[in-house]
Amino acid sequence: RLGERVGVPWLAWACGECEYCRRGQENLCEYGRFTGYDVDGGYAEYHVADERFVYPIPEGYPDEQAAPLLCAGVIGYRALRLAGARDVRRVGLYGFGASAHIAIQVLAHWGADVYVFTRSPEHRRLAEELGAMWTGRAEDDPGEPMDSSIIFAPAGSLVPTALAGLRRGGTLVLAGIHMSPIPQMDYQLLWGERVLRSVANATRQDAEELLALAPEIPIRTEVGVRDLSEANEVLRDVKESRVSGAAALRVSRGA
């Protein structure tokens, strides 16, 4: 409605008619359009959006606190769903950036024990503050096999490591849009009915469920706000693990 504060996520439009949309997989729509990729927006002062693909922002979340929920939060929530994380005890998170720092709060709400694998001491400290059962580097042994794990870091080299730490019948989800090549590995790592799957985009259901859950938990987003003119520096900081939590860009009039 006019005057409502709404958020625009990655999925900007889906046809509703292709094979994937009819199966409830609009995130895989053959003709899907995505904000900032197929549709202008994201880094913009004004934005035209299909009203079916925007969402009311929960009360109590300033714009900069809500921004990570619409991107990192939604894809992290979908990764949790595909990992079956609501129904398991131990969940491993590889990489602890924008998505993982939101996902861990959802997992804590569900009562899971969360194990965080990250090379950054700062990220390990944040994970511990948010309730991680254990933190360490990817090569460290947490002493327990994971029921499900999610790789948020875009590093294909982590796949064999994460599979080796997964119990039989467990699920490993790859949550990145891009990932470096996955190295050749022994079939024994996958054997035992372990499941390896990717996440692609997210559906409206994912966004609606997360935004309803956020104030119930409540999710607290760690956000560093920078000006649009600093976008390249922010992207470099993200790549080099110098951002704790998430980063958001402030789009000013006349920018």
Side-chain angles (χ1 to χ4, degrees):
R1 295 187 179 90
L2 188 64
E4 270 192 311
R5 193 171 61 114
V6 299
V8 181
W10 172 230
L11 180 64
W13 182 87
C15 74
E17 298 177 359
C18 71
E19 174 185 0
Y20 297 102
C21 285
R22 292 197 306 270
R23 289 179 174 177
Q25 298 173 303
E26 65 182 9
N27 57 307
L28 304 178
C29 176
E30 295 178 7
Y31 310 102
R33 300 174 190 165
F34 298 91
T35 304
Y37 187 76
D38 306 289
V39 176
D40 289 343
Y43 295 173
E45 184 179 352
Y46 297 100
H47 183 66
V48 177
D50 187 318
E51 66 178 356
R52 298 170 300 167
F53 293 84
V54 300
Y55 311 94
I57 300 299
E59 291 296 327
Y61 283 90
D63 293 349
E64 65 273 11
Q65 296 294 319
L69 296 175
L70 295 162
C71 184
V74 173
I75 197 66
Y77 182 77
R78 183 167 185 81
L80 292 175
R81 289 183 59 199
L82 296 185
R86 188 164 194 163
D87 302 313
V88 299
R89 179 183 170 191
R90 291 185 293 268
V91 180
L93 304 180
Y94 289 80
F96 201 75
S99 284
H101 100 282
I102 295 172
I104 191 175
Q105 297 177 65
V106 177
L107 287 167
H109 181 69
W110 288 345
D113 294 338
V114 185
Y115 296 71
V116 172
F117 302 83
T118 175
R119 64 189 180 186
S120 166
E122 291 77 13
H123 291 181
R124 289 198 291 272
R125 281 195 291 271
L126 177 59
E128 290 163 4
E129 290 174 12
L130 293 174
M133 172 72 68
W134 176 95
T135 63
R137 298 174 65 90
E139 61 269 22
D140 295 338
D141 181 7
E144 298 282 356
M146 299 298 105
D147 297 312
S148 295
S149 289
I150 302 170
I151 297 180
F152 289 108
S157 60
L158 291 174
V159 173
T161 302
L163 282 173
L166 199 64
R167 67 162 175 82
R168 294 184 183 186
T171 299
L172 175 61
V173 173
L174 312 182
I177 296 174
H178 300 285
M179 180 174 275
S180 59
I182 299 172
Q184 182 175 338
M185 58 188 179
D186 195 304
Y187 174 63
Q188 191 67 25
L189 291 175
L190 192 58
W191 187 80
E193 300 190 351
R194 295 175 179 87
V195 176
L196 177 62
R197 66 178 304 167
S198 67
V199 170
N201 318 316
T203 65
R204 281 174 283 183
Q205 179 184 348
D206 297 317
E208 290 163 0
E209 289 185 7
L210 177 66
L211 291 174
L213 190 60
E216 178 184 329
I217 292 177
I219 291 175
R220 173 174 63 90
T221 54
E222 297 281 337
V223 188
V225 182
R226 306 271 286 276
D227 288 330
L228 180 60
S229 60
E230 300 176 90
N232 287 336
E233 289 79 4
V234 174
L235 290 171
R236 185 188 61 233
D237 289 346
V238 169
K239 179 180 179 180
E240 297 176 357
S241 299
R242 291 204 297 262
V243 171
S244 182
L249 295 175
R250 182 189 298 107
V251 182
S252 303
R253 291 186 180 278

